[in-house]
Structures are given as C-alpha cells and as structure tokens.
Amino acid sequence: MNTGDTHYIKRMNRRIIIENVIKHVSLSRSELSRITGLNKATISSQVGELMEEGHIVERETGASVTRGRKPIMIEINERAGFTIGIDIDEQVTNILCCDLKGQLIHRQSVALDTHYFDEMTESLLHILKEDILPAGSLLQEIPLVGIGVGIHGIVNNDHQIVFTPKQEWIDEDIKSRLEQEMNVPVFIDNSANLSVFAEQVYYEQVSDLFCLTLHSGIGLGIIKDFNIYRGFQGFAGEIGHMIVEPNGLPCPCGNHGCWEMYASNKALLKNLHQDAAQLSTESMAALFHKEVQGSVLDDYLDYLALGLNNVINIFNPERIVINSALFSARPELLADLISRFHSKFNNYDELKISRLNEDACAYGAAALAFKGFFDITIVDHSKRHSEQMNVDLV
C-alpha cells in the first residue's frame, strides 16, 4: 500500500468517526468501534488526534452500569469553534451563529439595503465585525471556523452569484470578499438548497427530501441520496419561475406568469394590499392567521396546488416540507391544499410543514460551513435537536 492510499484511508476513517460522534451525540470508544466496524486501535489513534486538536472531548457519565469505573463518553467539543449562517433576502438579512454541536448561540436580524451589492457587502462586514465579533464578546472566546451564506437567486457550483431576480445582481462574488476580510472558509449556496439541507440536518433524515420555500419568492431545495441536487451548473431548483399562467403577470426574471407571482408569500400579501417590507415575522403571522379568507385564500391555494402537483408528478419525492409563514400560522390549511391534488399520478410519502420556518436558510448555511470545517459527507443533528426539544417541553 503506498503513502497516498494510507492517507486516503486515514482520512476516510476520520470522517466516519466524526460523523458518528455527531450523529450519536455521546458514545464510548467501544460503542464507536462496534458502530463503525473500525478496530479499537484505529479508534484509539483517531480519537487521540481529534482530542489533541481540541475537536473531541471525553466526559465521564453520571453512573456506572456495573461496580467498575464510570464509562468515558466521547463528544464533539462545542467550544472548539462556531459557524455563522447568513440568509440575505430582499428585505431582511437573518444571521445565526451555531456551536460545533449545531446549537444556536447567537441570532440577529438586520434590514440591509440589498439593491446595491457593494454597499450591502460593506454593511454586512461591519455587522459581522462590530456587532457579532466585537472585542470582549462571548463569541470572542470561541474561534470562528466558517461562514455560510444563502442567496435568493442562482448560485453556480463555484459559489458565485449568477443572478438574483429581485436585486438584479449579476456575476457577483461575495465569497472572496468575505474570506479576505474574515479569514475563514466561506460557502455560498441558493437559499432553497440551504433550507432543505437544514431540514435534513435537524429533522428529516431521509435520503429523498424536497423543501418548498414560500417567502419573497418560491424555491425548491432537493436532497437526493443525502446530497443536495444542484443540476448541471448549480441552477436546479428555480421552480418559482415555472410558468403557470401564459401571458400572465410580469416577473423580474423576464418571463410572464411565473409561479411565484401567484403562490409566494409576497404575492399573497400583495393581494391583501400589504407591503411585506413593513411587516415583522410576528405581524405577518397574525395577519395570515386572521385575514386570509375567502376567494383570496382559495385562489392562492389553487395556484400553490397547481405548481406543487407538477413538482410531485415530475420528481416523485419521498417527503416534501413546506416552509411558509402562512402554513406555520395556519397548519390546518395543509389538508385543504392536499385536497386540491386530483391527479392519479400523485405519489409521495409525506407532505409536512417546516419547524425551522424563516430560520431554515440560515441554519442550513451554518451547517454547510460546519460540514466544510470537518470535511464530512453527512451532518446529522436530529438526535440532539430532538433531545433538546424534549427537555424544552418538560
């Protein structure tokens, strides 16, 4: 076996160990050996290196199964670093900071003028440096290890912004600027891709997952075999620009009658004579809960069902998650939407409402940076997140 093979195998073993420590939250070396199939010598060597790097810690459990010593459990060291997830939308930029166990440690929402790319980037950098990472803050005690950014538009496979319909950014590079100023790896992706990634990381550990985001526009994030499906050059998922009304309403993309002109939250608010820019998350939820009734609601659900019916028939997804403030405020509408599917070809396992809501993109961005930092293939925080939810309910 040559040196290259040895390095490759060592890297793969390291990846397997890290992925399982993340997934199982806390486990002993013997359990890790049993789960991964790696021998105890390999486990001991790899865990030792990860502990020297500060990425893994050993903790004694509170009780022993036998009269012997208490078992020593291996866990990710949450204070070894944190990642930042940024969702840059037209009106509001959502910023979340997560530790290396995927737990939220800071959040901030800011109104940035995103129509001028250079000015927006300067403002974002100022917030990162002066608000989130000022000297003496809690986050100064933990190293920043990566940043993820969600863009509501087309992002290619090289993390470059190709086009955003709302701000009309064309061929912009935010990755290089952030990396230069923040001195950490930066990952850029489409907001719908990051939203579906977050759903998988925190809740939906299935290999075939779709997430339909209904906010200022409509996006479709696709997970296939546990990987984000991006298409040939990274343009997949722009489902909001599927034409549902020939010669219909003009869309910033250049076409007429695009689906998001009829079935996005922004389109619904326009029909309610409301300006999305003037509404907070709480006021929007209150509005959707009380005032969406009658023909406005029926027309909206008809258009939403029309497009979603096309998605189901084309892709035959296992599970679909709808990320929408309307459905979060009124979950009973899900049954009403499903009742509008009349095709005999409709086939899917489950259609459900997102529990991450407007935070999904930023959580996904932070998780993408986390994935890059550890150089792993699968990120699974679902067990930890489920345990935390159970604690919160007690």
Side-chain angles (χ1 to χ4, degrees):
M1 183 180 294
N2 62 42
T3 304
D5 292 336
T6 302
H7 286 315
Y8 174 76
I9 292 171
K10 184 176 180 180
R11 181 182 174 188
M12 291 300 296
N13 288 342
R14 176 188 174 98
R15 179 177 292 167
I16 291 168
I17 289 169
I18 293 173
E19 287 178 349
N20 278 280
V21 173
I22 293 167
K23 177 179 179 179
H24 295 281
V25 182
S26 180
L27 70 175
S28 68
R29 293 188 186 215
S30 60
E31 287 174 326
L32 188 55
S33 177
R34 176 178 55 80
I35 290 168
T36 62
L38 300 174
N39 63 50
K40 292 182 179 180
T42 299
I43 294 293
S44 180
S45 173
Q46 291 275 5
V47 168
E49 288 186 14
L50 288 166
M51 288 180 65
E52 285 182 13
E53 295 167 6
H55 297 151
I56 281 179
V57 293
E58 288 186 324
R59 294 191 169 107
E60 228 180 42
T61 59
S64 173
V65 177
T66 66
R67 291 186 176 182
R69 60 178 295 184
K70 296 177 181 178
I72 304 297
M73 309 302 282
I74 300 167
E75 298 180 10
I76 293 293
N77 179 12
E78 65 268 33
R79 297 186 66 79
F82 76 98
T83 61
I84 298 176
I86 305 171
D87 174 12
I88 304 176
D89 205 350
E90 184 181 15
Q91 306 294 344
V92 176
T93 294
N94 195 20
I95 304 172
L96 302 181
C97 301
C98 295
D99 66 21
L100 292 191
K101 286 185 175 176
Q103 300 168 131
L104 180 67
I105 53 177
H106 178 81
R107 73 182 311 141
Q108 190 167 341
S109 292
V110 292
L112 295 181
D113 184 351
T114 61
H115 290 86
Y116 301 95
F117 180 81
D118 291 337
E119 294 178 18
M120 181 278 300
T121 304
E122 290 296 329
S123 298
L124 179 60
L125 282 167
H126 178 82
I127 290 166
L128 293 176
K129 292 179 177 180
E130 302 300 325
D131 290 355
I132 293 179
L133 296 173
S137 73
L138 173 64
L139 294 180
Q140 276 287 313
E141 301 173 9
I142 311 172
L144 173 64
V145 298
I147 298 172
V149 181
I151 301 296
H152 293 247
I154 298 173
V155 178
N156 66 22
N157 290 329
D158 295 322
H159 302 259
Q160 305 299 306
I161 300 170
V162 176
F163 178 64
T164 61
K166 298 172 183 66
Q167 300 96 337
E168 298 187 352
W169 299 339
I170 300 174
D171 297 331
E172 297 287 3
D173 180 8
I174 193 172
K175 173 182 169 68
S176 298
R177 184 68 194 285
L178 289 180
E179 286 184 334
Q180 178 184 357
E181 294 288 336
M182 303 302 294
N183 297 311
V184 294
V186 175
F187 305 86
I188 316 296
D189 209 335
N190 169 270
S191 59
N193 287 345
L194 294 177
S195 293
V196 75
F197 184 53
E199 297 292 347
Q200 185 191 56
V201 166
Y202 284 97
Y203 288 109
E204 312 293 342
Q205 280 294 313
V206 295
S207 64
D208 194 79
L209 177 68
F210 283 46
C211 180
L212 188 70
T213 58
L214 308 172
H215 298 292
S216 56
I218 297 181
L220 181 67
I222 302 170
I223 294 281
K224 185 66 177 174
D225 296 328
F226 290 102
N227 292 308
I228 297 173
Y229 178 76
R230 293 185 171 87
F232 171 50
Q233 291 182 319
F235 296 9
E238 290 297 326
I239 200 73
H241 299 286
M242 170 177 59
I243 295 172
V244 296
E245 281 287 357
N247 303 315
L249 297 171
C251 178
C253 77
N255 277 324
H256 287 73
C258 290
W259 190 27
E260 69 179 41
M261 303 305 297
Y262 299 87
S264 65
N265 286 347
K266 187 174 182 180
L268 179 58
L269 290 169
K270 184 176 180 181
N271 288 331
L272 295 171
H273 308 291
Q274 298 286 337
D275 183 359
Q278 305 301 318
L279 294 173
S280 66
T281 301
E282 293 75 18
S283 60
M284 187 182 296
L287 177 73
F288 282 162
H289 187 73
K290 295 178 182 179
E291 298 190 22
V292 186
Q293 308 290 341
S295 62
V296 170
L297 178 61
D298 286 337
D299 290 345
Y300 176 81
L301 291 176
D302 283 343
Y303 276 113
L304 182 57
L306 188 158
L308 190 51
N309 183 83
N310 291 342
V311 170
I312 293 169
N313 284 342
I314 293 169
F315 294 105
N316 181 215
E318 177 180 354
R319 189 173 300 170
I320 310 165
V321 176
I322 295 180
N323 190 314
S324 163
L326 174 65
F327 284 88
S328 294
R330 298 179 59 186
E332 73 277 5
L333 292 179
L334 188 63
D336 201 352
L337 174 66
I338 293 172
S339 71
R340 287 168 158 79
F341 298 158
H342 303 301
S343 171
K344 294 179 180 177
F345 294 103
N346 279 149
N347 194 288
Y348 59 93
D349 181 61
E350 189 175 12
L351 179 62
K352 59 199 305 185
I353 299 168
S354 171
R355 288 177 281 185
L356 291 172
N357 302 317
E358 70 275 2
D359 288 337
C361 175
Y363 267 120
L368 187 64
F370 173 93
K371 178 182 177 182
F373 172 67
F374 276 121
D375 186 27
I376 55 181
T377 303
I378 297 174
V379 182
D380 184 355
H381 290 313
S382 58
K383 182 176 180 181
R384 170 168 294 281
H385 206 64
S386 176
E387 288 176 351
Q388 184 59 51
M389 287 185 66
N390 291 335
V391 169
D392 293 341
L393 290 172
V394 174

